[in-house]
Amino acid sequence: MFIKEEKIRDETVLEIAKEMALAARTAPKARGLDLLEIAVLAGDDILKLSEAMKKIGERETLPGFLRDSENIKKAQAMLLIGTKKKTAGLKYCSFCGFKNCQAAEQAGAICVYNTNDLGVAVGSAVSVAMDHRIDNRVMYSAGKTVVEIGLLGNEVAVAFGIPLSVSGKNPFFDR
């Protein structure tokens, strides 16, 4: 059997993206509360996200969104990870800037534990990409777009996108 790398690239990157999704899901969570939404994009779905990022970049005059909207077109797959907004129900914390969870809920604040869990999940996911030597970059611009268009559901308050690529040079660091 003789298989050139180009023939297996897309399929392999997609499989690694799925492994990354599972690593994100099993990452430790504060109080065991799992509020994550996770999805894998490929093909035309990446192009649709790119278009949405471009529209936001133009609307808000954000060159980074425009740049990243072009960069993700070079991805063979993309992982999306977001967190819903729900407090941990603590009487004594104030890490979010409010006295307690009840005050935070009334103000509509995002619980620090939600974003911490998201960060741990993102770290777990990108470690899988690193273990497989898959080029990637954690993108706030893609995540903000995902939240705005409701791609992971309307309850998701914060998200990140992680485009994945196998090529001679990481296309997500073209700055």
Side-chain angles (χ1 to χ4, degrees), residues 96 98-109:
C96 67
F98 292 90
K99 183 178 177 179
N100 55 37
C101 290
Q102 184 179 8
E105 282 179 15
Q106 290 172 346

Side-chain angles (χ1 to χ4, degrees), residues 73-132:
K73 290 179 182 178
K74 299 170 187 149
Q76 281 93 28
M78 192 161 180
L79 184 67
L80 306 176
I81 309 175
T83 184
K84 297 174 187 174
K85 184 166 72 169
K86 182 176 181 182
T87 63
L90 301 173
K91 288 182 178 181
Y92 178 72
C93 175
S94 72
F95 287 155
C96 67
F98 292 90
K99 183 178 177 179
N100 55 37
C101 290
Q102 184 179 8
E105 282 179 15
Q106 290 172 346
I110 296 173
C111 179
V112 68
Y113 294 108
N114 299 167
T115 54
N116 185 64
D117 290 350
L118 177 60
V120 172
V122 167
S124 291
V126 298
S127 73
V128 171
M130 183 221 42
D131 288 345
H132 292 283

Side-chain angles (χ1 to χ4, degrees), residues 9-74:
R9 184 181 302 164
D10 292 352
E11 175 186 326
T12 302
V13 173
L14 186 57
E15 287 304 312
I16 301 306
K18 292 174 185 177
E19 288 184 29
M20 292 171 67
L22 297 181
R25 176 61 66 207
T26 61
K29 320 262 182 331
R31 302 192 78 192
L33 187 61
D34 188 348
L35 300 173
L36 298 179
E37 290 293 333
I38 304 166
V40 175
L41 294 181
D44 289 342
D45 289 325
I46 293 174
L47 297 177
K48 289 175 187 174
L49 179 60
S50 171
E51 278 304 307
M53 290 170 67
K54 182 179 177 182
K55 286 179 185 173
I56 292 171
E58 290 169 346
R59 182 188 77 212
E60 302 293 333
T61 316
L62 296 168
F65 275 64
L66 298 173
R67 176 202 60 226
D68 291 350
S69 74
E70 290 300 315
N71 286 159
I72 69 168
K73 290 179 182 178
K74 299 170 187 149

Side-chain angles (χ1 to χ4, degrees), residues 137-156:
R137 183 166 187 133
V138 178
M139 290 187 174
Y140 129 85
S141 55
K144 179 65 176 168
T145 303
V146 163
V147 170
E148 184 171 309
I149 66 175
L151 192 57
L152 288 176
N154 294 329
E155 293 183 67
V156 171

